[in-house]
Amino acid sequence: MARRALITGITGQDGSYLAEDLLDQGYDVWGLVRGQANPRVSRVRKLLQDVQLVRGDLLDQGSLISAVERVQPDEVYNLGAISFVPMSWEQAELTAEVTGMGVLRMLEAIRVCSGITASRSSGSGQIRFYQASSSEMFGQVRETPQNERTPFHPRSPYGVAKAYGHFLTQNYRESYGMFAVSGILFNHESPRRGAEFVTRKVTLGVARIKLGLASELRLGNLEARRDWGYAGDYVKAMRLMLHAETPEDYVIGTGHTQSVRELVAAAFEAAGLDWEQYVVGDQALHRPAEVDLLCADPKKARVQLGWEPTVAFEELVAMMVESDLRLLSAGIDLEQDSSWP
Ligand code: NAP
Ligand code: G4F
């Protein structure tokens, strides 16, 4: 019988790529969707027609128990979160509830539905659980590159909420013998990336300028450095982690780092433009506390999972610029139609 996966965050970037990957692997894929009329559900229905949907919300324990009871998954991928770092300062409590406590609610739903208690630990045939941890937990980094043993020093309410979910996942593994793992993923991008994140903001900005739809692009801190990879590669690592013999946490990234300034230069160059003529610095876009430098050491994933990134930074940026040029040239208005390319 086909393995069955339940994905929270199915309407997000990673949810879409993971669903495609799992469908390719012959899984029955279910996606958790929230809200009475969530406009982002329509893009799941358009692109991922073989995915079945179940209603639920990471803020609502009962709905998660019902979803797990209904789907009877072999694997749960918890990708749902408030994932935009600046929003976590504006709505810190909501971020803690969704991104942090949401992990507890999902783990509890699995524990309760599996009949696991302190004295009756998880056995074979158990539900395997993947938690979307983040390199934001490293924050003000203690060493470079960062690996699975690097201490955390989160710099945003988002990073703090992710650290809670990370340690809780580890704790359920240790307390109940659950197959529960965290992927500590560094920034990963794609043509389906949300328009608020810097890569997509830049590639959309370049496309608008190239097509005469805008004359400038306002940005915050150009000196921050990130380890940027391709989302299509990273979701494969999630599946590999749940197929490993033992439940362990892994760092997933490329091992290279670029500044926002280098990202901007590469994106404008891909469209034959000189960035310095268009980019305007905006102090209001700087963060109360910044993560200055992220760079992964993905050796453990390479050795133990056989995972490697396949798309280099310049290729990724060019892919996103080309996709946004195509989208805007076709007259697609992102405010009205958020279909995935
Ligand atoms: P994304 O595009 O922002 O998607 C976030 C998803 O979370 C959306 O599907 C959203 O659904 C869902 N969600 C929000 N609030 C929810 C709630 N109360 N209950 C259930 N679902 C809820 O994020 P992404 O880039 O795909 O990232 C996936 C996960 O990986 C996130 O947990 C993120 O924090 C983490 N992560 C991402 C990166 C990266 O570089 N992309 C790196 C490390 C970790 P709605 O449509 O209902 O809003
Ligand atoms: O693209 P960003 O908003 O991503 P950030 O904050 O690194 O977070 C992303 O990656 C994390 C993994 O490390 C995920 F956990 C998280 O969910 C999310 O997917 O910003 C990247 C950098 C920052 O240093 C920011 O200060 O770009 C800088 N930046 C400069 N100008 C900007 C802008 N970021 C945004 N979003 N918008 C700007 O105008």
Side-chain angles (χ1 to χ4, degrees):
M1 219 171 66
R3 282 184 80 71
R4 188 169 291 188
L6 173 62
I7 303 173
T8 73
I10 189 80
T11 60
Q13 169 189 257
D14 289 9
S16 76
Y17 285 108
L18 178 64
E20 284 175 344
D21 176 75
L22 294 176
L23 288 169
D24 282 351
Q25 299 287 322
Y27 276 71
D28 260 352
V29 180
W30 288 73
L32 186 92
V33 292
R34 70 181 173 126
Q36 197 173 327
N38 181 343
R40 305 209 302 165
V41 171
S42 69
R43 64 190 193 185
V44 178
R45 291 202 200 280
K46 257 194 229 167
L47 185 84
L48 304 166
Q49 284 160 9
D50 292 331
V51 170
Q52 302 183 67
L53 300 179
V54 58
R55 215 172 274 287
D57 195 307
L58 287 167
L59 295 173
D60 182 345
Q61 179 71 76
S63 74
L64 300 180
I65 293 175
S66 300
V68 171
E69 269 174 354
R70 171 152 178 228
V71 175
Q72 298 278 313
D74 300 295
E75 299 171 12
V76 172
Y77 295 86
N78 187 39
L79 311 185
I82 286 178
S83 76
F84 186 45
V85 173
M87 183 167 161
S88 76
W89 278 285
E90 288 161 19
Q91 300 188 21
E93 187 179 342
L94 184 65
T95 303
E97 282 291 343
V98 178
T99 306
M101 289 292 286
V103 185
L104 174 66
R105 295 189 189 100
M106 198 68 237
L107 282 164
E108 276 294 287
I110 294 171
R111 188 185 69 75
V112 167
C113 293
S114 308
I116 298 167
T117 62
S119 56
R120 186 180 172 280
S121 71
S122 181
S124 61
Q126 60 179 297
I127 300 172
R128 295 190 171 204
F129 175 78
Y130 173 86
Q131 167 57 18
S133 284
S134 165
S135 51
E136 267 289 306
M137 299 184 305
F138 295 125
Q140 190 160 301
V141 298
R142 307 279 177 88
E143 60 182 357
T144 297
Q146 296 86 45
N147 63 36
E148 293 77 7
R149 292 171 307 284
T150 303
F152 298 155
H153 182 150
R155 296 273 282 166
S156 60
Y158 167 83
V160 173
K162 280 289 177 188
Y164 171 77
H166 182 84
F167 284 125
L168 195 75
T169 301
Q170 224 169 53
N171 180 259
Y172 270 54
R173 180 164 81 216
E174 292 171 6
S175 303
Y176 300 115
M178 283 171 67
F179 196 110
V181 306
S182 289
I184 307 174
L185 270 53
F186 283 62
N187 300 51
H188 46 280
E189 319 293 317
S190 74
R192 298 180 194 165
R193 184 59 143 150
E196 65 275 37
F197 299 95
V198 76
T199 51
R200 188 80 195 284
K201 180 175 175 183
V202 168
T203 61
L204 276 167
V206 165
R208 287 194 183 106
I209 290 168
K210 183 75 181 174
L211 297 172
L213 303 170
S215 55
E216 65 171 34
L217 175 61
R218 301 187 84 79
L219 290 172
N221 181 8
L222 298 184
E223 308 313 326
R225 301 185 75 85
R226 291 290 182 276
D227 178 333
W228 278 294
Y230 172 54
D233 285 338
Y234 286 43
V235 297
K236 291 185 171 42
M238 299 176 186
R239 167 169 53 78
L240 292 172
M241 282 180 224
L242 287 200
H243 289 189
E245 273 198 13
T246 51
E248 291 181 41
D249 304 329
Y250 294 86
V251 155
I252 301 295
T254 69
H256 302 284
T257 182
Q258 275 87 19
S259 64
V260 174
R261 186 185 298 275
E262 287 164 327
L263 159 74
V264 168
F268 277 83
E269 197 183 319
L273 298 170
D274 173 9
W275 71 274
E276 291 186 89
Q277 291 183 27
Y278 303 102
V279 172
V280 177
D282 187 340
Q283 204 54 37
L285 294 169
H286 286 242
R287 299 176 180 188
E290 180 61 281
V291 172
D292 295 320
L293 163 68
L294 290 174
C295 182
D297 172 3
K299 184 165 168 228
K300 180 180 174 189
R302 187 172 64 242
V303 173
Q304 291 187 206
L305 301 176
W307 179 85
E308 300 241 28
T310 67
V311 179
F313 173 72
E314 293 73 16
E315 207 184 329
L316 172 65
V317 173
M319 176 204 299
M320 292 176 68
V321 169
E322 278 162 30
S323 172
D324 283 333
L325 279 169
R326 263 198 310 276
L327 203 69
L328 298 188
S329 301
I332 292 171
D333 176 355
L334 291 183
E335 302 293 323
Q336 303 294 325
D337 182 346
S338 62
S339 302
W340 278 314

